[in-house]
Amino acid sequence: MKLLSIKECELFQKKVFIRCDFNVPMDEFGNITDDRRIRSALATIKYCLDQECAIILASHFGRPKGGVFSQEDSLHHVARRLHQLLKMDVTLAPDVVGDETKALAANLKHGEILLLENLRFEIGETKNDAALSAQLASLAEVYINDAFGVSHRAHASVAGITDHFDAQHKAAGFLLLKEIEFFDTLLERPTRPFAAIVGGSKVSGKLQALLHLLPRVDKILIGGGMAFTFLKALGHDVGNSLVEDELMEEAKEVMAEARTLGVKFYLPVDVIIADKFQSDAHTRAVSIQEIPDGWMGLDIGRATVELYRQVLENVETVLWNGPMGVFEMEKFAKGSNKIAHIVADMDATTVVGGGDTADLVQRVGVDEDMSFISTGGGASLELLEGKVLPGVKPLMK
Ligand code: AMP
């Protein structure tokens, strides 16, 4: 997939609007707990500074209610972190497209940075409102999208705004380019053998991705809650484990399709079971043939970890999307942690989907050992489903 690239854009001394994804996690004291998304945008911002641009940055943050300003959803903490990382002044606008903000944007000089307030303080942002798109576009001469994490949403600052710029005046930033190119190579030209590790809560959330991956991979390793729908479809008693009965037929079809295509399809052989979905639950390690009534599987067991280790041994490319268990609770995090170490130690291209899996890998402390960690959970899942993202389509050549 070929995208309009920031490298090919005439940027010298232009006023440029960069849509970023600064939707960073915060603790209860208002501290940013992980600034990966802000750091990921620096390459594009610094490139524009080198081109002596006047830079307008824009992002959403959280889910402010009713499109009104609130201090807790303000981007002031992002402005502060940008200032620390760039070692230069970053002016935070009072709002998104108010008169004062428009004047600040109009008077912005080369080498200066203006950060708009949270885009979702405008109710039209998530509605892809035409008037808001036009107002945002009127602030700058060039549009750059570097917000991979929100490119699967048809929002005003991601989709509608692109109608106002011709192909010479809009492009993908370095982060967006990297994300799209990585997933494109992964899905179209992977080095084989290629294995996908797919976990998470439900089959329904990953069904489309599984169907799109099947003809492209050599092996699929299943973990997480979704394993139990497959196991039940094979006739196992899975007790109170998470099961989507309505997807049993689809689960059977996925397994049949894997057989037809010669894709090796692996399910857990043992699990950690609990008597309730709580961190103080009683737990036991059992084979999947031995799940008693009333108990639920909340993590993969030791034998499964060993099996998956062996299965991954000769693999050249790994994609990992979704935890192997309820990793938020320590008792059920071991399977995911061990898989994280196994993947990190592999002599292979290792790609981690965004969201939970990215958090997990970071928490385990092996993020530096992965080839690529996506910054977008929902967006990367849609790429795995074979979709063209609404924020990416207008930037295709
Ligand atoms: P997803 O958003 O579909 O990727 O799912 C991530 C969630 O799946 C995490 O919050 C995990 O706690 C949850 N999960 C993983 N394994 C299980 C399981 N065996 N039973 C219930 N939930 C699970």
Side-chain angles (χ1 to χ4, degrees):
M1 190 191 295
K2 278 277 164 234
L3 291 186
L4 296 167
S5 162
I6 184 170
K7 278 276 197 188
E8 294 153 359
C9 224
E10 181 50 65
L11 282 173
F12 188 67
Q13 294 196 338
K14 291 271 165 50
K15 190 165 288 177
V16 52
F17 181 107
I18 312 177
R19 175 45 157 117
C20 300
D21 177 5
F22 295 145
N23 190 24
V24 286
M26 310 267 291
D27 66 17
E28 69 264 42
F29 310 110
N31 300 306
I32 296 171
T33 52
D34 175 6
D35 66 358
R36 197 162 47 102
R37 285 182 161 167
I38 301 180
R39 284 185 283 111
S40 302
L42 294 182
T44 294
I45 298 172
K46 286 182 177 168
Y47 180 80
C48 291
L49 285 171
D50 286 346
Q51 297 288 320
E52 298 178 24
C53 296
I55 300 172
I56 299 165
L57 301 175
S59 174
H60 69 290
F61 178 75
R63 295 180 187 278
K65 285 189 198 78
V68 288
F69 178 89
S70 72
Q71 192 58 26
E72 75 210 59
D73 289 317
S74 161
L75 288 185
H76 61 87
H77 51 278
V78 173
R80 205 164 48 234
R81 184 57 60 95
L82 279 167
H83 164 71
Q84 289 163 352
L85 292 168
L86 291 165
K87 299 185 179 59
M88 59 181 287
D89 287 340
V90 174
T91 305
L92 178 63
D95 53 24
V96 183
V97 284
D99 290 342
E100 201 182 323
T101 298
K102 281 181 181 160
L104 283 169
N107 296 324
L108 198 67
K109 299 198 181 56
H110 304 144
E112 291 182 345
I113 299 183
L114 174 69
L115 172 64
L116 302 187
E117 253 303 357
N118 189 344
L119 286 162
R120 291 192 187 164
F121 288 159
E122 283 292 329
I123 204 155
E125 165 64 359
T126 54
K127 299 191 166 123
N128 201 19
D129 178 67
L132 177 63
S133 303
Q135 281 186 297
L136 290 170
S138 72
L139 300 177
E141 297 161 276
V142 178
Y143 171 79
I144 303 290
N145 181 355
D146 216 17
F148 175 70
V150 77
S151 287
H152 60 311
R153 305 274 186 226
H155 291 172
S157 65
V158 179
I161 191 171
T162 59
D163 293 341
H164 300 272
F165 296 91
D166 61 27
Q168 279 73 49
H169 294 89
K170 62 182 170 188
F174 293 113
L175 175 63
L176 184 60
L177 286 170
K178 193 166 149 192
E179 293 266 7
I180 298 295
E181 277 165 18
F182 234 101
F183 280 99
D184 198 40
T185 309
L186 189 76
L187 293 172
E188 304 310 327
R189 299 172 294 283
T191 312
R192 295 189 177 281
F194 174 19
I197 309 171
V198 185
S201 55
K202 293 181 175 175
V203 177
S204 48
K206 303 279 162 79
L207 185 62
Q208 289 312 317
L210 281 174
L211 291 171
H212 192 69
L213 282 168
L214 267 175
R216 293 172 166 77
V217 300
D218 300 292
K219 311 177 184 203
I220 291 189
L221 291 67
I222 299 286
M226 63 188 286
F228 297 99
T229 300
F230 288 104
L231 290 166
K232 187 167 177 190
L234 290 174
H236 292 288
D237 291 326
V238 296
N240 281 355
S241 306
L242 188 62
V243 168
E244 288 169 286
D245 283 311
E246 67 284 8
L247 283 183
M248 209 76 84
E249 281 314 305
E250 280 83 351
K252 284 182 191 162
E253 277 164 28
V254 166
M255 291 187 281
E257 181 72 358
R259 257 193 311 279
T260 308
L261 292 167
V263 174
K264 299 189 174 95
F265 193 86
Y266 293 92
L267 288 165
V269 291
D270 65 339
V271 282
I272 305 300
I273 52 170
D275 57 354
K276 55 183 177 181
F277 192 90
Q278 268 168 28
S279 50
D280 63 349
H282 292 111
T283 63
R284 281 163 56 188
V286 296
S287 110
I288 55 122
Q289 279 89 350
E290 308 274 346
I291 302 176
D293 283 350
W295 289 65
M296 61 187 85
L298 296 183
D299 195 9
I300 57 172
R302 233 192 243 193
T304 306
V305 170
E306 273 319 304
L307 171 69
Y308 286 6
R309 187 198 304 279
Q310 281 174 30
V311 165
L312 291 170
E313 236 156 43
N314 69 337
V315 160
E316 294 285 337
T317 306
V318 186
L319 162 72
W320 184 13
N321 186 305
M324 299 288 100
V326 183
F327 74 105
E328 298 92 336
M329 299 184 206
E330 210 183 320
K331 274 188 179 167
F332 313 110
K334 216 177 251 174
S336 298
N337 293 354
K338 285 187 175 164
I339 295 293
H341 282 289
I342 291 170
V343 174
D345 288 343
M346 284 173 69
D347 194 10
T349 303
T350 50
V351 180
V352 177
D356 279 340
T357 327
D359 293 346
L360 196 160
V361 160
Q362 197 136 28
R363 196 140 94 174
V364 177
V366 293
D367 43 326
E368 296 294 330
D369 299 314
M370 301 294 180
S371 310
F372 184 69
I373 302 177
S374 176
T375 55
S380 65
L381 188 61
E382 290 204 10
L383 290 180
L384 297 179
E385 291 172 349
K387 292 189 183 142
V388 180
L389 312 184
V392 170
K393 196 164 178 222
L395 304 179
M396 283 163 67
K397 279 186 185 164

